[in-house]
């Protein structure tokens, strides 16, 4: 364990550039590894989760090499040509690696065993086992559909039409990736839109993928299998989920004025910016442009007096990873913030509703935990009292970073029990934070 006390700070000032988007980085490695020939990736996130994906693709035959910081070269094997890995694929803490790679293996004539850390081994895999089994894969999982598990792919796999029972980009992507090497057309029906990086990137690599949107907003995504992917040069935009912590920190700490450069603002990811603006946050998008087929801007963020809001559950999927940061903002706003429809937060790297409720309450915030959300009574801008003892982060990077930010806006600081998990998604977080408050 690596504990640290995050102390009250002066204003955050300066410009930062957050590392590459985690979701896009995983997909860039996977699709490059399935294209025939050499792809180049720049701005790749070099966090532990993405490195787990890189190691797995190497174990299945691709050459995945780091040339320089964020610069990677991948020689793909071609869809359909993944090799049988010799040992278990160690997914570490990464749900995205696990679920997407299960999809890839499902339509190859190989079997793979998936293992992970204590947090990942608690997370439900039934949601991908179910559709992948329908496509012909055979899975033998630990109790409750959990890791460790062994997945034997089908060759040929059977195309299916699958209506997502949960709003999950990981489940959608697992089925689409399985569909890449399945004869015929595999279709995913998505009643609630989730992040669409897989669709965008599959098209970019030349897959035959078609998205139609029905009158009620339901998205129907069809992919034609046995695709030949063409190698690409991919530029990964900055991760809005990493920018989230600095957005909230700058809004909360008086006198702050920062610019976060190159932040991905794909509408399926930008819900936090919308919610914070509704709360009164001064967030200005400068220099809007496109990077790697994704909308991007530099965000100027200044300290603002925030007011509590009812967060519309319809925008939840577009900020699903940002709720821990939003809860911190709400704890210092004036008035009440109500969140609902967040059952999915209970099956992330930790139970983020329970863990954030406990952590923020320990720091002196007024929190009411409901089945599907938190109701938070803000301090009206007064700092939180803070914690004498360490708060438990349960191997969850986003809990650690959210409570670090809360520490800046507290009287006695907040001690986080373990900062190591931050390296799964944002290895330079502490250095960047220390730089902004220096
Ligand atoms: C992700 C999808 C989301 C998100 C996760 C990354 C992805 O998970 O929470 O951090 O890259 O597809 P779900 O699909 O489980 O909602």
């Amino acid at each position: 364990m690596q504990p640290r006390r995050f102390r009250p700070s002066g204003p955050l000032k300066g410009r930062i550039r957050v590392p590459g988007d985690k979701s896009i980085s995983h997909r860039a490695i996977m699709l490059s590894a399935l294209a025939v020939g050499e792809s180049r990736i720049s701005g790749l996130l070099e966090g532990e989760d993405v490195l787990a994906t890189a190691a797995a693709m190497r174990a299945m035959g691709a050459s995945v090499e780091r040339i320089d910081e964020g610069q990677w070269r991948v020689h793909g094997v071609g869809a359909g040509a993944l090799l049988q890995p010799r040992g278990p694929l160690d997914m570490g803490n990464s749900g995205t690696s696990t679920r997407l790679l299960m999809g890839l293996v499902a339509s190859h004539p190989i079997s793979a065993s998936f293992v992970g850390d204590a947090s990942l081994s608690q997370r439900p895999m039934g949601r991908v086992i179910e559709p992948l089994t329908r496509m012909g894969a055979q899975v033998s999982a630990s109790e409750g559909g959990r890791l460790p598990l062994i997945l034997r792919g089908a060759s040929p796999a059977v195309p299916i039409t699958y209506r997502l029972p949960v709003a999950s980009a990981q489940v959608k992507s697992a089925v689409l990736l399985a569909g890449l090497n399945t004869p015929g057309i595999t279709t995913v029906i998505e009643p609630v839109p989730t992040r669409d990086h897989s669709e965008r990137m599959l098209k970019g690599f030349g897959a035959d993928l078609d998205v139609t949107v029905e009158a009620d907003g339901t998205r129907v995504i069809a992919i034609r299998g046995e695709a030949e992917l063409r190698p690409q040069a991919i530029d990964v935009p900055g991760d809005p989920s990493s920018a989230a912590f600095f957005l909230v920190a700058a809004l909360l700490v008086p006198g702050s004025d920062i610019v976060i450069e190159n932040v991905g603002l794909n509408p399926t990811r930008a819900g936090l910016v919308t919610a914070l603006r509704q709360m009164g946050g001064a967030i200005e998008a400068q220099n809007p442009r496109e990077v790697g087929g994704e909308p991007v801007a530099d965000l100027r963020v200044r300290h603002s007096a925030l007011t509590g809001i009812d967060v519309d559950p319809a925008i939840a999927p577009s900020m699903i990873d940002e709720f821990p940061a939003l809860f911190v903002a709400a704890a210092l706003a004036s008035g009440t913030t109500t969140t609902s429809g967040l059952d999915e937060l209970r099956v992330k790297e930790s139970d983020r509703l329970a863990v954030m409720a406990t952590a923020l309450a320990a720091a002196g915030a007024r929190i009411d935990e409901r089945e599907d959300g938190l109701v938070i009574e803000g301090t009206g801008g007064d700092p939180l009292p803070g914690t004498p003892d360490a708060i438990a982060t349960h191997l969850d990077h986003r809990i650690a970073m959210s409570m670090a930010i809360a520490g800046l806006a507290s009287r006695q600081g907040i001690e986080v029990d373990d900062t190591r998990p931050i390296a799964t998604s944002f290895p330079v977080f502490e250095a960047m934070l220390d730089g902004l408050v220096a």
Side-chain angles (χ1 to χ4, degrees):
M1 300 277 249
Q2 221 169 75
R4 174 170 169 189
R5 175 164 290 273
F6 290 89
R7 297 180 188 283
S9 85
L12 284 74
K13 297 271 188 190
R15 295 180 82 88
I16 52 168
R17 209 176 165 84
V18 289
D21 187 279
K22 182 152 75 76
S23 292
I24 296 174
S25 294
H26 284 297
R27 288 156 173 84
I29 291 183
M30 290 180 198
L31 295 189
S32 297
L34 290 173
V36 183
E38 179 179 308
S39 291
R40 293 285 184 126
I41 309 171
S42 60
L44 188 85
L45 169 66
E46 294 173 347
E48 288 166 4
D49 282 10
V50 175
L51 298 180
T53 289
M57 295 318 295
R58 270 188 214 112
M60 293 190 281
S63 136
V64 185
E65 293 170 276
R66 181 180 196 264
I67 307 166
D68 202 347
E69 196 189 322
Q71 306 292 321
W72 289 63
R73 175 166 56 209
V74 179
H75 280 271
V77 292
L82 290 178
L83 302 178
Q84 168 77 46
R86 292 222 183 98
L89 302 177
D90 186 353
M91 304 283 92
N93 188 254
S94 178
T96 310
S97 308
T98 310
R99 297 193 178 116
L100 271 56
L101 290 171
M102 284 172 68
L104 279 186
V105 171
S107 57
H108 279 76
I110 59 176
S111 64
S113 105
F114 293 85
V115 300
D117 73 3
S119 152
L120 186 58
S121 302
Q122 287 300 313
R123 299 181 65 186
M125 297 300 152
R127 52 182 62 197
V128 283
I129 294 172
E130 204 252 319
L132 297 178
T133 307
R134 284 211 226 164
M135 296 180 80
Q138 290 170 20
V139 181
S140 129
S142 302
E143 206 190 319
R146 298 196 156 84
L147 260 45
L149 64 76
I150 298 174
L151 189 149
R152 185 181 303 281
S155 180
V158 184
I160 59 170
T161 293
Y162 191 66
R163 192 181 174 87
L164 293 176
V166 275
S168 165
Q170 293 180 355
V171 177
K172 167 175 67 177
S173 302
V175 175
L176 292 176
L177 290 175
L180 252 189
N181 193 42
T182 299
I185 293 176
T186 298
T187 306
V188 178
I189 301 171
E190 188 180 51
V192 180
T194 65
R195 65 190 69 195
D196 62 356
H197 308 301
S198 296
E199 295 93 306
R200 286 174 189 248
M201 204 183 288
L202 279 162
K203 275 193 193 158
F205 271 83
D208 183 354
L209 179 133
D210 194 60
V211 182
T212 48
V213 183
E214 295 181 340
D216 66 352
T218 297
R219 290 157 46 92
V220 180
I221 307 144
I223 185 165
R224 181 180 293 280
E226 301 181 293
E228 180 147 332
L229 301 186
R230 292 186 296 270
Q232 300 294 313
I234 303 164
D235 207 353
V236 180
D239 198 329
S241 301
S242 295
F245 305 105
F246 294 115
L247 276 171
V248 171
L251 291 175
L252 294 184
V253 178
S256 298
D257 187 352
I258 64 170
V259 175
I260 314 173
E261 295 174 2
N262 195 39
V263 182
L265 290 176
N266 179 318
T268 62
R269 296 286 299 282
L272 179 71
V273 173
T274 307
L276 290 173
R277 282 183 175 146
Q278 285 169 359
M279 295 173 82
I283 305 171
E284 190 190 324
Q286 302 174 335
N287 190 16
R289 56 201 183 271
E290 208 169 269
V291 172
E294 299 270 347
V296 156
D298 304 326
L299 299 181
R300 180 175 179 204
V301 195
R302 281 168 293 158
H303 168 254
S304 308
L306 301 179
T307 309
I309 57 168
D310 285 355
V311 180
D312 180 357
I315 74 165
S318 70
M319 56 177 292
I320 197 67
D321 291 337
E322 284 65 77
F323 279 97
L326 178 92
F327 296 149
V328 174
L332 281 112
S334 53
T336 311
T337 295
T338 306
T339 60
S340 59
L342 303 182
D343 321 67
E344 275 296 302
L345 290 198
R346 297 207 181 269
V347 292
K348 295 295 179 188
E349 286 82 330
S350 69
D351 175 342
R352 288 182 174 160
L353 292 180
V355 173
M356 281 305 292
T358 304
L360 279 173
R366 280 179 294 166
I367 313 278
D368 178 17
E369 182 184 345
R370 309 242 169 109
E371 202 53 52
D372 68 338
L374 300 185
V375 177
I376 300 176
E377 202 64 54
T379 61
D382 293 339
L384 292 169
T387 57
D389 304 318
I391 59 103
T393 50
H394 298 273
L395 289 177
D396 188 333
H397 55 137
R398 298 202 201 280
I399 303 292
M401 290 185 276
S402 299
M403 293 311 293
I405 295 309
L408 304 183
S410 72
R411 277 204 202 91
Q412 56 170 318
I414 290 178
E415 175 132 343
V416 164
D417 67 345
D418 193 7
T419 54
R420 284 173 318 167
I422 293 173
T424 60
S425 69
F426 198 170
V428 295
F429 168 78
E430 289 178 80
M432 253 180 205
L433 182 62
D434 296 342
L436 283 175
V437 299

